[in-house]
C-alpha cells in the first residue's frame, strides 16, 4: 500500500497550486485522507481532511476559504486545491491516511498519531 503526494513547486504569492495524493494497493472503498504541512524547525500542522463518508471535510483556520479538496475516485486520488497562496504557506506538504473505521468523519480531533500511512512530502514554495 502506498500514498504518493505530488504537485508541489514554486509559485508567486496570490497564485494557485494543486497537490495530488494518489493511493495504491488499498482495497477498501472507504477512506479518509488528511493533509499536513511542515516548515523546518516547526511542528507538523494538520491543514485539511477529506473522508469518503458523506464526503466530509475539515480545514484549519489558516487555510479555510483558500484551500479545497476534490477527488478522482477512478484514479484513487485526492487533490488539495490551494488558492491565494501566501508566503506563510511555504512548507513540505504530506498526505496521510488514517483507519477509516476508527475515524470515519473528519474533525479537529484527528491527529498525526492516528495516521496509518504517509506519503512522501512535496515541497511548496511561495515567493512574495
Amino acid at each position: 500500500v502506498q500514498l504518493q503526494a505530488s504537485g508541489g513547486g514554486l509559485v508567486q504569492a496570490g497564485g494557485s497550486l494543486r497537490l495530488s495524493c494518489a493511493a495504491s494497493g488499498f482495497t477498501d472503498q472507504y477512506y479518509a485522507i488528511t493533509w499536513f504541512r511542515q516548515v523546518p524547525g516547526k511542528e507538523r500542522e494538520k491543514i485539511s481532511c477529506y473522508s469518503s463518508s458523506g464526503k466530509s471535510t475539515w480545514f484549519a483556520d489558516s487555510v479555510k476559504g483558500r484551500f479545497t479538496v476534490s477527488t478522482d475516485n477512478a484514479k484513487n486520488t485526492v487533490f488539495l486545491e490551494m488558492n491565494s497562496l501566501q508566503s506563510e504557506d511555504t512548507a513540505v506538504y504530506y498526505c496521510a491516511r488514517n483507519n477509516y473505521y476508527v475515524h470515519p468523519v473528519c474533525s479537529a480531533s484527528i491527529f498525526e498519531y492516528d495516521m496509518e500511512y504517509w506519503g512522501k512530502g512535496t515541497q511548496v514554495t511561495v515567493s512574495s
Side-chain angles (χ1 to χ4, degrees):
V1 295
Q2 186 177 9
L3 294 176
Q4 180 65 50
S6 62
L10 175 64
V11 63
Q12 288 188 333
S16 300
L17 274 178
R18 186 176 78 164
L19 304 184
S20 302
C21 180
S24 60
F26 296 97
T27 58
D28 203 322
Q29 61 176 320
Y30 299 111
Y31 62 91
I33 295 292
T34 300
W35 288 93
F36 296 83
R37 66 185 181 187
Q38 189 168 26
V39 176
K42 293 189 176 181
E43 292 187 356
R44 195 171 294 181
E45 176 190 15
K46 187 178 85 168
I47 58 170
S48 174
C49 172
Y50 171 86
S51 173
S52 61
S53 169
K55 297 183 173 61
S56 74
T57 58
W58 176 91
F59 295 92
D61 288 343
S62 58
V63 305
K64 197 174 295 182
R66 300 186 298 121
F67 291 13
T68 61
V69 174
S70 61
T71 64
D72 183 339
N73 290 324
K75 295 183 178 180
N76 297 319
T77 300
V78 175
F79 302 102
L80 181 67
E81 312 267 1
M82 307 186 296
N83 301 305
S84 301
L85 284 163
Q86 306 163 0
S87 57
E88 305 87 84
D89 297 314
T90 295
V92 178
Y93 285 70
Y94 300 87
C95 62
R97 177 168 168 147
N98 58 271
N99 185 327
Y100 171 85
Y101 298 99
V102 176
H103 298 286
V105 179
C106 290
S107 76
S109 301
I110 302 174
F111 304 100
E112 280 189 64
Y113 54 75
D114 294 309
M115 301 300 123
E116 294 187 328
Y117 302 97
W118 289 84
K120 292 183 179 179
T122 184
Q123 174 72 47
V124 172
T125 303
V126 183
S127 63
S128 55

